[in-house]
Amino acid sequence: MGRITVRRSVVKVTVGAEPLRRIDTLAVEEPLEIRVAGAPLAVTMRTPGHDVELAAGFLVSEGVIASAEEFRSAIHCGGPGTGGELNQYNVLDVALAPGVRPPAPDVTRNFYTTSSCGMCGKSSIDAVRTVSRFDVREDPVTVVPEQVVALPDRLRAEQAVFDKTGGLHAAALFDVASGELLVLREDVGRHNAVDKVIGWALLQGRLPLRGVVLQVSGRASFELVQKAVMAGIPVLSAVSAPSSLAVELADEAGLTLFGFVRGDHLNVYSRPHRVRQEVLT
C-alpha cells in the first residue's frame, strides 16, 4: 500500500573522471489529503506509510483530539466506487467519535503544507499558539546528559529507509525511566515524522506522553515544540539548532529543549532544571 522508495537512473559526475550512469534509490514524496467526516482539512507532502498515525497526530497538534477515545476510524478513499479508477492511498478520511467537535472553521482552512514547512498555511503566530490540554510544566521527569547525547546515534541506527536514500527525517520517542525506544518514524517532512509518532501514541492510548524524550534528526522549529507541547511531551532533543521562537515557546510552555546534541555535548535552551547535573542547578 504506498511506496516508500523508488529506483531511478542517475548520472554520477566526478571531477576528472568519466560520468557514470547508475541506479539510485530515492525517498518517495506524495501528497496526502486529510479529511474529517468527508470535509477536506489539509494537504501535506509526506512519505507514504503510517498515514493513519500521521492524521491522528496532526489532529492532536491542531487541538482537535487528545485521546484514543476521540478518534473512531480512518479509511483511505479515492479508489473504485468513489470516482477514481485506482486507489492511490493519497486521501484519508477520518471519523471522530460521537460528540467530538469537528475542526473549527479557522482550522479547516484548506491549508497546504510542504515537506519542509508544516505550518506555512497558518495566518499568524497567534493562530499556532494552540492551547494544549496537557501541562508539561507538571512533568517531574529528569534526565542525565549521558542519556541524552546517546539518543541521536540510537535514532540513526534505526533509520532503515535513510540508509537506502539519505533523504528522510526521523523522530522517535524514548522512555526516560527504562531507556526504551518506544517508536520511530521516518518521513520527508520533519513535522510529519513527529505527527506520526504522536499519532502512534494517541492510538496506543499513551497521551499525555509523560516521562519521555522526543528526539528529532534535524533542527527544532517552533512547530515541533508546539506539537510536543500538544502531546504532553516534556523534553525535546534536536541534533541541530532551535529557532528563537522555538526557545520562546518551550520556555513559556515548560518544555525542556536541547539543541546541537552531538558527540558528548548539548545545549540546554529552556527549563534546565530537568538535567541532573550540578553545574546546571
Side-chain angles (χ1 to χ4, degrees):
M1 181 182 76
R3 306 182 309 276
I4 298 177
T5 62
V6 294
R7 304 274 283 174
R8 292 287 186 268
S9 176
V10 301
V11 176
K12 182 177 181 179
V13 177
T14 302
V15 175
E18 288 291 325
L20 297 175
R21 184 170 293 277
R22 66 171 189 170
I23 299 299
D24 198 15
T25 301
L26 306 178
V28 169
E29 182 177 25
E30 292 181 356
L32 176 69
E33 179 182 328
I34 301 173
R35 300 176 181 174
V36 176
L41 174 63
V43 176
T44 184
M45 300 303 295
R46 97 305 188 192
T47 299
H50 304 289
D51 287 343
V52 175
E53 293 176 353
L54 172 56
F58 181 82
L59 290 172
V60 171
S61 298
E62 290 294 323
V64 178
I65 59 176
S67 69
E69 291 74 22
E70 296 175 317
F71 187 98
R72 188 172 73 181
S73 63
I75 185 171
H76 283 97
C77 51
T82 62
E85 296 182 359
L86 180 65
N87 194 337
Q88 297 296 323
Y89 299 97
N90 285 337
V91 179
L92 188 74
D93 196 5
V94 175
L96 303 178
V100 177
R101 297 179 61 181
D106 63 330
V107 174
T108 308
R109 52 194 171 272
N110 293 325
F111 64 80
Y112 170 82
T113 68
T114 69
S115 57
S116 61
C117 176
M119 294 299 219
C120 294
K122 300 284 191 175
S123 60
S124 69
I125 292 300
D126 289 339
V128 295
R129 288 187 181 274
T130 312
V131 178
S132 177
R133 300 192 205 178
F134 312 120
D135 189 350
V136 299
R137 289 172 294 190
E138 298 178 351
D139 196 316
V141 68
T142 60
V143 297
V144 294
E146 293 82 1
Q147 181 181 29
V148 178
V149 297
L151 297 184
D153 286 342
R154 295 183 61 188
L155 181 79
R156 177 66 183 84
E158 298 294 330
Q159 287 188 255
V161 184
F162 182 89
D163 285 338
K164 299 177 182 178
T165 67
L168 291 182
H169 292 282
L173 295 172
F174 291 90
D175 180 79
V176 173
S178 67
E180 177 187 2
L181 169 61
L182 300 176
V183 63
L184 181 146
R185 295 290 183 260
E186 294 179 278
D187 200 280
V188 289
R190 60 173 61 86
H191 58 283
N192 290 335
V194 172
D195 275 340
K196 287 178 179 181
V197 300
I198 291 174
W200 171 88
L202 176 114
L203 298 175
Q204 295 292 318
R206 300 185 72 123
L207 294 190
L209 280 162
R210 304 296 190 196
V212 305
V213 176
L214 171 61
Q215 177 67 51
V216 297
S217 59
R219 62 185 178 86
S221 63
F222 171 91
E223 177 193 13
L224 298 195
V225 173
Q226 173 79 12
K227 290 179 182 295
V229 171
M230 293 301 291
I233 296 171
V235 182
L236 170 59
S237 171
V239 172
S240 297
S243 69
S244 62
L245 200 56
V247 174
E248 180 183 327
L249 178 60
D251 191 57
E252 174 185 306
L255 176 142
T256 297
L257 178 60
F258 299 131
F260 291 108
V261 183
R262 303 172 182 176
D264 62 355
H265 65 273
L266 55 86
N267 291 345
V268 187
Y269 289 91
S270 64
R271 305 292 171 147
H273 67 279
R274 288 197 175 100
V275 181
R276 298 198 305 272
Q277 186 165 311
E278 290 186 2
V279 69
L280 294 178
T281 58

